[in-house]
Structures are given as structure tokens and as C-alpha cells.
Amino acid sequence: MDNRKKLVLGVDIGGTNTAFGLVDETGDIFAESVIPTRKYLTFDDYPAFVEDLCEGMSRLIDSLSFDFDLLGIGIGAPNANFHKGTIETPANLWKFRPDEPNPDESRRVFHLAADIEKRFPGKLVLLTNDANAATIGELVYGNAKGMKDFIMVTLGTGLGSGFVANGELVYGDDGFAGEFGHIVVEKYNGRKCGCGRSGCLETYVSATGIKRTVFELMAKMTEPSELRDISYNDFEASMVSAAAAKGDALALEAFRVTGEMLGRALADAVAITSPRAIFLFGGLAKAGKLLFDPTKWYMEENMLSMYKNKVELLPSGIEGKNAAILGSAALIWQKNGVA
């Protein structure tokens, strides 16, 4: 019997950095490293990115002083397609140069899983978007362990999500299911979204969204607020939490508005999937009761009666420094029956 330690490589590809680490089935990280994604900005830089990432992962594997079995490589990335193992037209990665003569966006499909498999033959490589990776991380390592049906909502610069039904992440026919941030919650006069539409949920419920809410409220409310002294370019979502904790009326109203928008949308999501729990993850979720209390109130207020007071609203159990690596590694662990 092979009693060697079994590990998985978890990789998180962000617009600034790509972090990766060797993770065991309990969530312990034995070694980790990072390369700067921002070095590889253009379409032509993609091969160099793959080369440097694979070299970095190989060095990390060689850095451990004991023998182990590498079960596979799990990757979380923007615009990732689980079914195809591709990253497709990512907004902030590997863009065409300004002087590109034929900038056909359909060419920006990067077969990352297959490209990495060439460097690690025989190893399972799975790829999904960053929100789905966080969802599976919650299932394997976090507060959703043992749950068959739940929703994960990631609240960062935008709003991502993952839906788990009967113990399986819902990917949909094309691999892109679960775009909760792009349901339209304000049909008329809604905020312009980066996706090209107007009124999407993430334009209201995200770090960027609450910032926009604060500046709208400044024009509507007369109450004094420390937030009025901060310019738009210097403004960060964490400032709203800090002000609200001190009783700032404008900041508290911004969280009420944010909670109302999220709570109403979650009530609709519950009617579709009937989850046992909903988890909030990411920077905005760190506001705690400031966000959770109004969200829960508006969710219950708008809930179909048969679901009232049945669905828990909970903080993520993997929130923290290594959550992205854990979530990506969990793709492989779940495939190996750890969930």
C-alpha cells in the first residue's frame, strides 16, 4: 500500500498575480508561491505565462523535502469554462495590442488546461471560474461541508456566485451557469454594467456598487458624514464599513440599500434552487452584521411563504489569506471523493 502523502496544486489566476500552492485534503498548505500575472498583458504573452507558471509549479513541487503523490492541478480563473478547460475572452488578461490589425475577440480562447497537461502528463487538470472555485472550496473545506444544496455569493470588485444542487456544482450546458451578478434588478434607469447591460445586481451589490450607492446618497441626504470628505478616486468600500461602525447615517443607509438589493435577489434565487444555506464571501462580506442583517431582513420580507425562515444566511468558512488557493485545490479533491 502506498502511504505517501497526497497533495494537490491549487492555482488562482488573478489580474495582478497568480498564486499557487500544494494543499492536502484537510486544507493545509505545505508550500505556496506567486508569479505576477500583470507581466503578461497581451495576447502574445500567453505562451510565456504558461511557461513561467509551469516552471514555478515545478519548483514548488521540488521544494518539498518529502515524497508525495500529486493528484492533480485545480485552477480558478476569470471567464473559465469547466467543460472545455478554457479561459474565454477574459476582460483583464491577454488582451490584443492596440496596433493589432484584426482584433477578433473570438480568437481570445486560451486552452489552459490542455497546455498545462502537456507539462504535467498524466496529471488531472481542472479549470473553473474563480467564484465556482470558491464554492467548491466551501463544500470541501468550509461551512458547507456535508451540504447538498447551497448558494455561494462572492462579493469583491464584482459579484460572483456558485450554485450547488444535490452535491454538484451547476455548470450549465455551456459551462457558464451561475452568473447571479448579472441578473437585472433595475430594469429602468439601472446602473450601467461592465457587461454592456444596465441594472445588473453587481452594479449595486459589490465593492464598486456600494461606492456608487454612497455617492448617490450624498446627493439625496443632508446628514453630515465623514465620507463626504473623500474624493471618488480615493474612496474604498472598507471606508463605508468603518464609518457605519461609528454610526454614520449615510454609511448605514448605504448598507441598508445594498442589503435590500441583495436580499430581494436572494429571495428569487431561493425560489429556484431551494438551498439549505446561502454563504457570503469576499471583502464586502467582512462588514458582518452591517450587511448580513439588512440582507436577511429583505430576503425574508420578499421570500415565498413556503421558504420563509428555512434558509440560513452564513459567512464563508474559507474566508482568509489562502481561500483562493484552497478553492482551486478543492476542484481536484472533490473529484477524488473528498466532499
Side-chain angles (χ1 to χ4, degrees), residues 54-315:
C54 289
E55 287 184 4
M57 292 191 293
S58 294
R59 286 194 299 271
L60 195 69
I61 291 168
D62 292 340
S63 72
L64 294 190
S65 58
F66 58 89
D67 290 334
F68 63 91
D69 289 330
L70 181 68
L71 298 185
I73 301 170
I75 306 168
N79 291 59
N81 187 319
F82 176 80
H83 292 327
K84 298 179 181 178
T86 54
I87 297 176
E88 304 183 13
T89 61
N92 298 308
L93 297 172
W94 313 310
K95 295 179 282 188
F96 289 120
R97 296 180 187 277
D99 59 353
E100 167 68 36
N102 298 299
D104 179 3
E105 281 295 293
S106 66
R107 290 167 52 208
R108 289 205 310 120
V109 175
F110 305 95
H111 296 268
L112 185 63
D115 292 337
I116 289 178
E117 284 173 356
K118 293 173 186 174
R119 287 290 301 267
F120 295 89
K123 300 301 180 184
L124 176 65
V125 180
L126 296 177
L127 171 68
T128 193
N129 74 42
D130 36 14
N132 283 344
T135 303
I136 296 176
E138 197 70 45
L139 179 64
V140 174
Y141 300 120
N143 292 333
K145 198 169 182 66
M147 288 189 187
K148 294 291 187 183
D149 299 88
F150 69 93
I151 298 171
M152 180 78 153
V153 179
T154 63
L155 301 170
T157 304
L159 187 156
S161 60
F163 290 74
V164 173
N166 197 29
E168 296 290 337
L169 191 68
V170 177
Y171 286 107
D173 180 64
D174 63 356
F176 289 113
E179 288 292 343
F180 187 54
H182 294 286
I183 63 169
V184 174
V185 293
E186 286 291 337
K187 183 176 180 180
Y188 303 104
N189 300 314
R191 294 174 182 173
K192 191 70 176 177
C193 182
C195 74
R197 302 191 304 165
S198 297
C200 290
L201 181 64
E202 80 167 23
T203 68
Y204 298 90
V205 184
S206 61
T208 308
I210 199 169
K211 174 179 174 178
R212 294 169 77 170
T213 297
V214 165
F215 279 82
E216 286 181 2
L217 291 173
M218 285 182 188
K220 295 178 180 178
M221 297 174 65
T222 59
E223 286 84 349
S225 170
E226 65 183 63
L227 300 177
R228 294 183 184 275
D229 298 326
I230 306 168
S231 70
Y232 192 86
N233 288 337
D234 293 332
F235 199 98
E236 296 179 2
S238 59
M239 296 173 179
V240 190
S241 300
K246 292 184 281 187
D248 186 293
L250 194 150
L252 289 169
E253 176 64 5
F255 273 109
R256 187 202 65 76
V257 171
T258 304
E260 178 179 5
M261 301 299 280
L262 180 56
R264 282 165 39 192
L266 289 176
D268 289 341
V270 167
I272 297 168
T273 64
S274 187
R276 175 176 161 188
I278 298 166
F279 296 93
L280 303 185
F281 171 90
L284 196 58
K286 292 178 183 177
K289 290 172 64 68
L290 292 169
L291 178 66
F292 278 77
D293 285 357
T295 299
K296 179 68 172 176
W297 193 91
Y298 282 104
M299 184 175 78
E300 295 296 345
E301 179 73 6
N302 290 278
M303 196 86 83
L304 192 64
S305 60
M306 65 189 293
Y307 301 116
K308 281 185 181 291
N309 301 309
K310 291 181 179 179
V311 182
E312 296 178 279
L313 185 66
L314 301 170

